[in-house]
Amino acid sequence: MIDRQRSGYLGAAAAFAVCMAGTTLPTPLYGLYQEQIGFSELMVTVVFAVYAFGVIGVLLLVGNVSDAVGRRPVLLCGLGCAAAAAVAFLAEHGLPLLFVGRFFSGLSAGLFTGTATAYVLELAPPDRRARAGFVATAANMGGLGCGPLLSGLLAEYAPHPLTLPYLVHLVLLAVSFAVLRSLPETVPGARPLRTARPRRPSLPPQVRGVFVPAGLAAFAGFSLLGVFTSVSPAFLAQDVGVHNHAAVGAIVCLAFFASTAGQLLVPRLGAARAIPLGCLVLIAGLGLLALSLATGALVPLVLAALVGGTGQGMGLRGAVDRLAASAPADRRGGVLSALFVVAYFGISVPVIGIGLLTTPLGLTHAGLLFTATMAVLAAGSGLYLLRRRAD
């Protein structure tokens, strides 16, 4: 029974990673879409924002619905949205279907992010509960990292670069669907999916004091990831001279894999210490990103992915662990979804700002303004958290 339970929570984590990989598949391909369709860097950030606001909309409207109807139905719907996104990209002949594909990607991520995190935690056997938070956030970040790596390699070294990545993803989604169908439900007394109704987001009193610092850390960390997944391919091509799709995908992937590595540090540091320390490491990553933007050098950009991703991972796992421990079991899905609402505002709003500023200022200066703003926010978050610890 325990062996089956262990394979169950790992199977749920694998499905989580597959779904999230689909949301970043287009990252190294934006240059090809620009050549084929013809649109500006501002439109790249708008396309990206459509995804982010799809995530936010789902998390706000139905982020806590899995607490009532169960985890499995919500996750199966998420896989269906991911498949719809892949089909839209396969049929793409212009911006409208590109928007449709990104919107459905956002829906899939919104349905998965909080719900799958809670599901992995609940499926884990008692002796693995301490590691389950890492498994869930690693599946999230690792999946996001695998998406650009997969599509970059296929686009550079295989035929049909704008179709093959989505065909591969559809196969992986079919396998994930079968895995989730075989897993047990973890919500006692779950109601039928047709009874699901949008509910206004709310936080139970037990988590409100923890939520503010956790949300600030998530916002700052995800803002850096937003830059790497939206505008770094253009910067690499225009300013650094890197046109290899596999290399672009690998650099973006590096930020997400570094996030996974940063999460491994949290058990030793403790969740409360990991969040402010993660903010400080994130500031160092933003400084390296600014250096790369100012000089057009590749090495500082790679280091920014490593250092900034590590800081983001420390803050994210610390936030998830603290909130999951504080939230009542029957509200856990909604609480974690609320955290990712804040995170995805961080991944979208600054990116849109860069897109708007690119035309009057240029990509380099817009990026420098972004790094300065996010460094100030991360510094304020770290100081606020350190003061709370001192009080």
Side-chain angles (χ1 to χ4, degrees):
M1 180 68 179
I2 292 297
D3 289 340
R4 182 178 178 184
Q5 198 173 8
R6 282 178 179 163
S7 64
Y9 98 99
L10 294 175
F16 192 4
V18 167
C19 182
M20 300 311 292
T23 68
T24 51
L25 273 180
T27 297
L29 309 179
Y30 283 137
L32 295 175
Y33 285 123
Q34 284 181 286
E35 293 174 8
Q36 181 186 83
I37 303 172
F39 52 83
S40 66
E41 289 305 322
L42 173 60
M43 193 55 63
V44 172
T45 61
V46 172
V47 169
F48 185 82
V50 167
Y51 156 76
F53 286 119
V55 179
I56 292 167
V58 169
L59 290 172
L60 286 173
L61 290 175
V62 295
N64 52 10
V65 76
S66 73
D67 291 328
V69 303
R71 313 298 186 204
R72 280 202 321 161
V74 174
L75 296 179
L76 293 173
C77 288
L79 291 180
C81 290
V87 171
F89 280 113
L90 286 171
E92 176 273 319
H93 291 291
L95 272 175
L97 280 176
L98 207 60
F99 282 126
V100 170
R102 292 306 285 155
F103 180 70
F104 273 104
S105 289
L107 297 183
S108 68
L111 289 169
F112 253 80
T113 303
T115 301
T117 301
Y119 195 39
V120 171
L121 290 169
E122 292 161 357
L123 279 174
D127 64 327
R128 296 288 175 130
R129 291 281 163 82
R131 297 182 182 179
F134 167 71
V135 171
T137 51
N140 191 345
M141 293 296 109
L144 290 168
C146 287
L149 183 62
L150 173 63
S151 60
L153 288 169
L154 292 176
E156 190 65 31
Y157 302 115
H160 311 296
L162 296 181
T163 57
L164 188 58
Y166 303 107
L167 291 174
V168 171
H169 191 234
L170 281 172
V171 173
L172 294 173
L173 287 172
V175 174
S176 299
F177 189 90
V179 169
L180 285 180
R181 284 289 301 270
S182 70
L183 296 178
E185 181 54 66
T186 57
V187 175
R191 302 197 301 267
L193 183 60
R194 64 178 180 274
T195 65
R197 297 290 184 273
R199 291 189 294 172
R200 183 170 60 87
S202 62
L203 294 173
Q206 300 95 312
V207 303
R208 290 173 187 169
V210 179
F211 188 85
V212 172
L216 287 172
F219 183 96
F222 269 69
S223 66
L224 178 67
L225 297 183
V227 170
F228 271 97
T229 52
S230 60
V231 299
S232 64
F235 172 70
L236 284 165
Q238 296 173 15
D239 293 18
V240 185
V242 176
H243 299 279
N244 183 291
H245 300 296
V248 172
I251 291 171
V252 176
C253 170
L254 191 61
F256 290 105
F257 278 20
S259 171
T260 304
Q263 295 168 34
L264 288 170
L265 301 174
V266 174
R268 295 182 179 181
L269 297 171
R273 292 178 60 195
I275 300 175
L277 286 175
C279 288
L280 296 177
V281 176
L282 181 65
I283 292 171
L286 288 165
L288 289 164
L289 178 58
L291 178 62
S292 178
L293 289 167
T295 62
L298 178 61
V299 172
L301 184 67
V302 174
L303 292 175
L306 281 170
V307 176
T310 299
Q312 188 273 343
M314 292 167 63
L316 177 64
R317 187 179 176 189
V320 168
D321 285 359
R322 291 198 70 186
L323 287 176
S326 303
D330 62 342
R331 304 284 296 277
R332 188 176 292 127
V335 168
L336 293 174
S337 292
L339 173 68
F340 285 105
V341 168
V342 177
Y344 275 93
F345 270 114
I347 211 173
S348 57
V349 175
V351 168
I352 296 171
I354 290 178
L356 291 171
L357 292 172
T358 295
T359 300
L361 299 181
L363 182 60
T364 297
H365 289 92
L368 287 171
L369 182 60
F370 157 80
T371 56
T373 304
M374 289 303 104
V376 170
L377 176 63
S381 302
L383 290 172
Y384 171 72
L385 290 160
L386 289 173
R387 286 183 179 179
R388 280 182 58 90
R389 281 179 54 82
D391 290 344

